[in-house]
Amino acid sequence: MFKRKNAHQLDDDSQQDNKVSKLRSALGPLSGHSLVFCSDASLRRYLDARNWNVEKAKKMIEETLKWRSTYKPHEIRWHQVAHEGETGKVSRASFHDRQGRVVLIMRPTMQNSTSAEGNIRHLVYLLENAILNLPRGQEQMSWLIDFTGWSMAANVPMKTTRDIVYILQNHYPERLGMAFLYNPPRLFQAGYKAIKFFLDPRTAQKVKFVYPKDKTSDELMKSHFDVENLPKEFGGKATLAYDHEEFSRQMYEDDVKTAKYWGLEDTEPNGFHAADVVSEPATSLASAAS
């Protein structure tokens, strides 16, 4: 049964809708990729990230549109970044969290590249892929980061970290639901203080440190994940086994959906043609615009 909203809630919704309309008008006529990207849901996220200040949200989204026009994250395809993913250092999980959010699994100890740009493009590709696969009505994703066995040898340079944080906060606002840092060593915790300096306070609040055999951590993980689906590496009961060939097959299929969503079937980069890959029925793309 649906509950009726009270007058105050309706008023809030009305005010938010008004802000979205004002932002759309301020942006002016849009076409092509920009038109697809600037869905009402996207405008709401940018407004939310700027405390519903239309002018600040306008500046933010214009900077994102400029970045997307040059970096072209929606045109990155798996065959261009697959070598970065051979070890499974970042992958999309086969399960969702309790709120239905797509889950990205990150394993820093599996780092296999010293290329800053390669690492960033690989992550951006998987962010776009996670967004493509969000259930209808869901705007955010969860991150599970396994630090077991981590050492400075697997550490990403601070400049690369800053670049990643900048991209995430400025071009993917309000996309992160929660980030669970599992079993981080003390050395990383010390380094995180430097990283936290670059994080927006709202983003920092979404980062949770969790530890094995810790009651509070166990309760936190169980409140967000079904332990039957959660890998043992994160305190669950499932087995996490990254299969690069199988994951690549999934990504190639999703590349077809990505091309169709952005209207790029006939303009695939580097001679790659989406039609060459057989796809399964597409999931809902209603919330795919990032």
Side-chain angles (χ1 to χ4, degrees):
M1 180 179 293
F2 295 99
K3 294 183 179 180
R4 294 182 60 185
K5 295 182 179 180
N6 59 40
H8 178 70
Q9 288 175 309
L10 284 174
D11 185 55
D12 284 347
D13 287 348
S14 177
Q15 289 178 1
Q16 290 184 9
D17 289 343
N18 185 46
K19 292 279 189 178
V20 170
S21 296
K22 285 184 177 180
L23 177 55
R24 188 172 295 284
S25 297
L27 289 170
L30 299 171
S31 61
H33 165 266
S34 296
L35 179 62
V36 176
F37 179 81
C38 291
S39 63
D40 283 357
S42 284
L43 299 190
R44 284 178 181 275
R45 287 187 296 99
Y46 278 81
L47 283 163
D48 191 19
R50 289 296 178 261
N51 295 315
W52 295 88
N53 182 298
V54 173
E55 190 57 38
K56 290 182 179 180
K58 175 178 178 288
K59 181 180 179 181
M60 186 184 191
I61 202 167
E62 285 178 339
E63 290 175 351
T64 291
L65 291 175
K66 182 179 180 180
W67 173 75
R68 292 184 71 90
S69 71
T70 56
Y71 199 84
K72 301 184 184 299
H74 57 297
E75 292 187 12
I76 303 173
R77 296 294 177 263
W78 180 245
H79 71 283
Q80 298 171 314
V81 298
H83 62 285
E84 290 283 350
E86 289 178 350
T87 59
K89 62 185 177 185
V90 185
S91 62
R92 194 185 84 232
S94 59
F95 58 91
H96 291 176
D97 68 9
R98 291 192 184 277
Q99 294 190 40
R101 296 183 289 215
V102 169
V103 177
L104 286 185
I105 293 178
M106 304 179 183
R107 297 186 285 182
T109 57
M110 298 297 182
Q111 180 58 255
N112 64 331
S113 170
T114 58
S115 169
E117 181 57 23
N119 274 294
I120 293 172
R121 284 180 67 82
H122 177 241
L123 178 59
V124 167
Y125 171 86
L126 287 167
L127 289 173
E128 294 281 320
N129 179 267
I131 292 167
L132 177 80
N133 284 281
L134 287 173
R136 182 183 296 275
Q138 180 56 262
E139 289 288 306
Q140 298 182 323
M141 65 189 79
S142 288
W143 291 3
L144 285 174
I145 310 176
D146 181 16
F147 280 94
T148 302
W150 182 88
S151 68
M152 287 298 294
N155 193 39
V156 175
M158 182 56 69
K159 183 182 183 304
T160 303
T161 299
R162 288 201 305 266
D163 290 344
I164 290 173
V165 169
Y166 180 86
I167 290 173
L168 292 173
Q169 293 192 150
N170 290 278
H171 303 316
Y172 295 90
E174 299 304 313
R175 282 300 190 188
L176 179 63
M178 294 283 283
F180 301 90
L181 280 57
Y182 198 82
N183 200 23
R186 290 185 177 182
L187 187 60
F188 174 82
Q189 294 179 47
Y192 177 72
K193 292 181 180 179
I195 298 173
K196 191 175 180 180
F197 178 79
F198 301 103
L199 295 180
D200 179 272
R202 290 175 62 178
T203 301
Q205 290 179 357
K206 299 176 181 179
V207 177
K208 305 297 181 182
F209 283 67
V210 292
Y211 305 91
K213 299 180 181 179
D214 177 79
K215 183 178 180 180
T216 301
S217 295
D218 288 343
E219 291 176 351
L220 178 66
M221 295 302 285
K222 289 178 180 177
S223 69
H224 287 277
F225 299 94
D226 182 341
V227 294
E228 297 297 329
N229 295 327
L230 190 66
K232 294 177 181 177
E233 289 84 344
F234 298 97
K237 298 181 179 180
T239 299
L240 175 61
Y242 177 75
D243 185 325
H244 188 60
E245 182 176 345
E246 172 60 22
F247 190 74
S248 293
R249 184 187 66 79
Q250 295 175 16
M251 295 303 99
Y252 283 130
E253 291 175 353
D254 280 356
D255 281 352
V256 177
K257 295 189 290 184
T258 298
K260 288 181 178 179
Y261 181 80
W262 295 107
L264 297 172
E265 292 95 329
D266 298 324
T267 58
E268 290 301 312
N270 293 350
F272 178 78
H273 300 286
D276 293 337
V277 181
V278 179
S279 65
E280 295 176 350
T283 58
S284 170
L285 301 180
S287 61
S290 59

